[in-house]
Amino acid sequence: MKAADLIEVVKNLNPYKQFGKVTRVVGLTIESLGPKTAIGDICLLYPHEKQEPAMAEVVGFKEEKVLLMPLRQTFDIGPGCLVEATRKPLQVKAGQAIIGKVLDGSGRPLDGEQLAEGLTSVATETAPPNPLLRPRIDTPLSLGIKAIDGLLTVGKGQRVGIFAGSGVGKSTLLSMITRHSEADINVIALIGERGREVKDFIERDLGEEGMKRSVLVVATSDQPALMRIKGAMTATAIAEYFRDQGMHVNLMMDSVTRFAMAQREIGLAIGEPPATKGYTPSVFALLPRLLERSGTSENGSITAFYTVLVDGDDLNEPIADAVRGILDGHLVLDRKLADKGHYPAINVLKSVSRVMGDIVHKSHRQAAENFRQYLSAYRESEDLINIGAYKKGSSKAIDQAVKLYPAMNRFLQQSNDDTHPFEETINLLEKQFT
């Protein structure tokens, strides 16, 4: 380390430690008298027994009391326990050495191993890039999935929502994107997932090849609400680090809904009033702060895929509606298609890519529009066709749709292990539907 760096470190050293004392624990929150600190700072809670201190974040103030929320389950905290101020927000380690690792919400390896030396510390919460410094999205990203590459083309740096009810194939679609896309690295956040599903996703969906260029951040449903929020922030911070190195990153988060639920828990615990269907105002303030951090920057890009759970397949529920308004497109997974064994169950008529028109050539765009028109014509008359009530010759559009329907179905369906190069997909689309 250079002499100037050492001098800077010495200048920033605080020779005094500031402490407070726990006065009350209510629900999810811990109240303490002191120390002097600020919102978002990490404090260390010292149990009465001689144990390792537990990390907690300052989430609010109540008169002279500091409101803290622990990052891990705490069972030995009681009145009088010491609270030490670190005067710093949560930071995590990032670098090439974490590729292939599975981390918890605070950036520590889940297997208990130590991270390698020489990694860079990055803050979990940062400001999104300046809007005027964001390059425009102008390059398609090949995902190897025909339905998306051909009809809902995603650009490098685009942010896309995957909207679906439970059990319709969100995790499977994410695993296909991870294995087949052209990204340099994948950062995957599993937020609020069942513990059983984590190893299933790693071994069954990702596989050894997928893990070689991925970083997983896991905060399961049994973790405290704050840890689930930090899991999403940590994954985004790691993706930002690799973007700043000039890489193209795929960030995948499953799910934003559970992230919002965690923030609702925290908001209600510190006294926020419920606003829309029980969600507190801070939920709708936090969503854009998280989602706007991905996308393009001067150095690289983060193409982000956020899954959104929709109760009863209702796409107009508050979180789905808010997320759809922030992102650059959405893929809707349809339970009716999944019930028919149609995978991936993407309803292309309800899905949209807001940047597709700017990043594909004219013949590709025209073929995609023709495909949508034929599919829409068939779906509108599907009941009549199935019961034999439609007479051939009544409509040229429907006649052509019926003729092309088997080809459309083949184009939209794809097995998990199957991948198609981008150019091959576009050539097939233009050949059959121009």
Side-chain angles (χ1 to χ4, degrees), residues 140-144 149-150 153-154 182 360 364 420-427:
L141 173 67
S142 174
L143 300 181
D149 287 347
T153 311
V154 172
E182 293 179 341
V360 301
H364 177 181
H420 292 266
F422 188 81
E423 291 302 326
E424 178 186 303
T425 297
I426 305 313
N427 290 337

Side-chain angles (χ1 to χ4, degrees), residues 373-422:
Q373 289 170 4
Y374 294 141
L375 185 61
S376 177
Y378 186 90
R379 293 272 168 85
E380 286 176 1
S381 306
E382 189 169 12
D383 290 341
L384 293 176
I385 295 167
N386 288 339
I387 64 174
Y390 173 74
K391 292 183 179 180
K392 188 176 180 180
S394 301
S395 166
K396 288 184 179 180
I398 297 175
D399 288 347
Q400 185 69 1
V402 172
K403 179 182 176 182
L404 291 173
Y405 187 68
M408 289 190 286
N409 249 349
R410 286 194 300 271
F411 188 87
L412 293 174
Q413 294 186 58
Q414 185 172 329
S415 65
N416 297 348
D417 300 323
D418 194 13
T419 182
H420 292 266
F422 188 81

